[in-house]
Amino acid sequence: MDYILEGIISAFGLLLNGDAETYSAIKATLYTSSISIMLAIICGFPIGFVLGFYNFFGKKFLRLLSDTALAVPTVAIGLILYAFISRHGPFGEFGLLFTLKAVMLGQFVLAMPIVVSLTASVIENMERKHYLTLMSYRLSKFKLILAVLYELRYSLLVVFATAYGRIVAEVGVAMMIGGNIKWFTRTITTAISLETNKGEFSMGIALALVLIFIAFAVNLTTHQLKRLDK
């Protein structure tokens, strides 16, 4: 137990003293996850809306693809992306491998099916009386979409929080295509994995505390939004 207590005390020391290496991993995580979640929201919300609101040929197949992507292991996604952006891959000339852009790409691919599937489910499960009320206003198609999005704003924010919580805690893709390079592409999760393997528990615990705080904040936000949605 002593080494655990010593690790926790050292962890708080690293955080309170502004340890550069610790904060480098935190900064990389917040930077990549924030940009990737915004891109996933911009691309995923419209696709999820179309899948949930409209009926068209192939809709069930597209939902099946999106739902299946939710269950694909992160290491498999990392392997596929690695094959595409490695030097011999079709996108190797862009030099993305082992960069923060690669980490963002991996987080974007992870977040997209979450945003698309959950958004489609939220739209499909909208109460019928709300839908009929909106239809009775005879709004234009664009205004009708905005009205539906406003009506479901809290549920859609829960989708955002869920996807963000998923990618900020991801380790497989960040490790494979980010490379876990110190001061450059090392994120919270990859740093925890490395430092634990090295027996450096203090930094691992410090970063784990930050990750737990982020997860708590995301879940607290989700619960508050669900309460507002009732």
Side-chain angles (χ1 to χ4, degrees):
M1 289 294 293
D2 289 343
Y3 80 97
I4 296 177
L5 293 175
E6 291 173 2
I8 293 174
I9 294 171
S10 299
F12 278 105
L14 290 174
L15 291 173
L16 295 176
N17 293 326
D19 179 68
E21 187 175 348
T22 303
Y23 279 89
S24 172
I26 296 172
K27 182 181 177 182
T29 299
L30 295 178
Y31 174 67
T32 56
S33 58
S34 297
I35 292 179
S36 58
I37 191 63
M38 292 309 300
L39 293 175
I41 291 297
I42 292 171
C43 299
F45 267 5
I47 298 173
F49 184 90
V50 170
L51 288 178
F53 196 75
Y54 296 104
N55 290 314
F56 54 90
F57 177 76
K59 172 182 174 177
K60 290 184 178 179
F61 177 71
L62 293 176
R63 280 299 304 271
L64 178 63
L65 285 180
S66 180
D67 292 344
T68 302
L70 291 172
V72 177
T74 58
V75 290
I77 294 175
L79 177 63
I80 294 169
L81 291 176
Y82 185 95
F84 274 89
I85 65 176
S86 64
R87 189 176 63 176
H88 301 293
F91 302 110
E93 61 182 280
F94 295 108
L96 293 174
L97 191 62
F98 302 148
T99 65
L100 286 180
K101 291 179 181 177
V103 178
M104 282 187 262
L105 176 63
Q107 291 174 335
F108 171 80
V109 173
L110 284 174
M112 271 296 286
I114 299 173
V115 175
V116 171
S117 291
L118 293 186
T119 300
S121 296
V122 167
I123 299 294
E124 287 174 342
N125 294 326
M126 184 175 66
E127 290 189 31
R128 185 164 178 76
K129 63 179 181 181
H130 291 163
Y131 175 75
L132 293 176
T133 301
L134 293 174
M135 292 298 290
S136 68
Y137 293 141
R138 298 184 181 280
L139 301 171
S140 66
K141 186 173 291 186
F142 180 71
K143 288 183 178 178
L144 177 62
I145 291 173
L146 292 181
V148 170
L149 293 177
Y150 181 78
E151 183 68 25
L152 299 173
R153 59 193 182 282
Y154 295 123
S155 296
L156 294 175
L157 286 172
V158 172
V159 174
F160 170 87
T162 303
Y164 186 77
R166 174 72 175 85
I167 63 173
V168 80
E170 191 282 326
V171 62
V173 172
M175 184 74 79
M176 292 187 69
I177 60 178
N180 194 24
I181 302 172
K182 188 177 180 180
W183 305 111
F184 188 44
T185 62
R186 184 168 295 173
T187 63
I188 291 177
T189 52
T190 58
I192 290 174
S193 176
L194 178 70
E195 298 301 327
T196 302
N197 289 334
K198 289 164 56 181
E200 298 290 342
F201 292 107
S202 55
M203 181 179 289
I205 293 173
L207 292 170
L209 289 174
V210 174
L211 200 59
I212 291 170
F213 173 77
I214 294 173
F216 177 78
V218 170
N219 279 291
L220 180 63
T221 304
T222 303
H223 281 288
Q224 292 299 324
L225 291 172
K226 285 180 178 177
R227 288 179 59 189
L228 292 172
D229 197 33
K230 291 181 179 177

